[in-house]
Amino acid sequence: MTTALRRRTLLGSLAALPALGLAACGEVTVEGEENASEQLTIVDDQEREVVLPGPAATAVVLNSYTNEFLRAIGAADRVVGVDRASLDRLPYLDLGEDQIIAEGLDQLNYEAIAELAPDVVIMPRNAVWQEAAEQLEAFGIPLVVATAWDTDVVDETLTLLGQVFGLEDGAQTVLDFREEISTALTDRLADVEPVSVYFETVEPYLTTLPGSGFHAMILAAGGANVFDDASGGDAQEELTVDPAEVVLRDPEFVIHEFEPSAAPVDRFEELREDIASRPGWDGMTALAEGHVAIANGWATSALGKSLGALYLASWLHPEQMADVDPDEYLTRWVTEFQATELSSPSDYVQGPEA
């Protein structure tokens, strides 16, 4: 790929990152403007028209990223039920075990949801939303599909959630924060030469392909995914690859993101040692030059992976990003938008200098 083509690819991905949602997803109609309690007709991310009696006062919400978004826009106190992963990953949610209504995105307790009588149930598109819509209809509970983990529709999802809860101003504040991050990247990385990156998520050799949010994160950070020509990924465009193939592609930078957890989990040394001990990997450029980063996904996958892009850019292009401190943005996201304490950014993200 020529330098010019690489730069055009980078600029295209950067431009896509902050794009505001102007498509059908998130359209809203207020019937009866004189009365705020009149019905709302919401168009969700599956282009389904969903009628709500008004802005939702209570909700059951599946997926930790969606719960983070709701906390960020100011709707945390309206959540009355969640899935177990949300509570495990986000212990600062003001919820108890008795409010867990799903063990997974495909294991919902519909009777428990009905007992909570929420105004709306919200779940991502990779949940069993078709089944849920049918089951919840019997209880008169509307379902909205909103997919907060998908980097390509983060802005649309925030807009949609703001409409569902009547918190458009709160959603716009989050969008403005995301735009600030995107601008920090685009202003500094327009003319950089992409650095080749091998991204590993959760499991050894599980990497990301085009179409994944992680792939978009690499591009936005001024990187080039060493597996950008691979295919055959799962629904989230992730693929377990041959360790020898990683060596052959010889990335200049390696990053491993482990399972998201708001509670600090010290896996940094363990994962560094595992990566360093893999046969043949010590000869790769990234390891030979010490260009390895480890991160807790709660930090680097936050806000549609915007924070991850910022951290990665600071490692790939330290000169261009010298005046931007990703730790400051992580601190703001946690303290201002999640309204919880942050022990230290280094408890969640450790770059090559760690």
Side-chain angles (χ1 to χ4, degrees), residues 46 79 95 114 147 167 198 224-225 260 289:
Q46 294 302 295
V79 179
L95 298 168
T147 308
L167 294 170
Y198 168 68
N225 182 0
E289 297 183 359

Side-chain angles (χ1 to χ4, degrees), residues 253-256 258 265-269 272 292-296 300 311 315 345-354:
F253 198 95
V254 169
I255 176 171
H256 179 104
F258 60 87
V265 179
D266 188 3
R267 297 193 60 200
F268 299 99
E269 192 60 34
R272 282 187 190 279
V292 178
I294 309 294
N296 179 327
T300 44
Y311 272 106
W315 300 323
S346 63
D347 289 338
Y348 298 90
V349 184
Q350 294 187 12
E353 68 281 358

Side-chain angles (χ1 to χ4, degrees), residues 18-27 152-157 159 163 175:
L20 291 175
L22 300 177
C25 174
E27 291 178 359
D152 288 340
V153 295
V154 165
D155 295 335
E156 293 93 331
T157 301
T159 300
Q163 293 165 350
L175 288 167

Side-chain angles (χ1 to χ4, degrees), residues 271-344:
L271 289 168
R272 282 187 190 279
E273 291 178 356
D274 172 72
I275 291 171
S277 67
R278 296 175 184 177
W281 280 43
D282 57 347
M284 291 195 315
T285 299
L287 272 70
E289 297 183 359
H291 293 165
V292 178
I294 309 294
N296 179 327
W298 181 67
T300 44
S301 277
L303 193 55
K305 299 174 177 55
S306 294
L307 291 169
L310 201 59
Y311 272 106
L312 184 57
S314 73
W315 300 323
L316 301 184
H317 304 287
E319 181 178 344
Q320 289 83 356
M321 299 295 295
D323 63 335
V324 178
D325 184 359
D327 288 347
E328 290 185 5
Y329 283 89
L330 176 60
T331 299
R332 286 174 59 190
W333 171 252
V334 174
T335 59
E336 296 177 25
F337 293 97
Q338 295 303 291
T340 192
E341 296 181 357
L342 179 69
S343 54
S344 170

Side-chain angles (χ1 to χ4, degrees), residues 169-210:
D169 288 348
Q172 187 59 53
T173 300
V174 183
L175 288 167
D176 290 344
F177 179 60
R178 179 168 153 83
E179 173 73 13
E180 182 181 339
I181 294 173
S182 297
T183 299
L185 293 168
T186 55
D187 285 353
R188 292 163 177 80
L189 302 179
D191 297 319
V192 299
E193 181 73 15
V195 177
S196 61
V197 176
Y198 168 68
F199 186 94
E200 191 169 88
T201 175
V202 183
E203 300 293 338
Y205 316 118
L206 181 62
T207 195
T208 182
L209 307 181

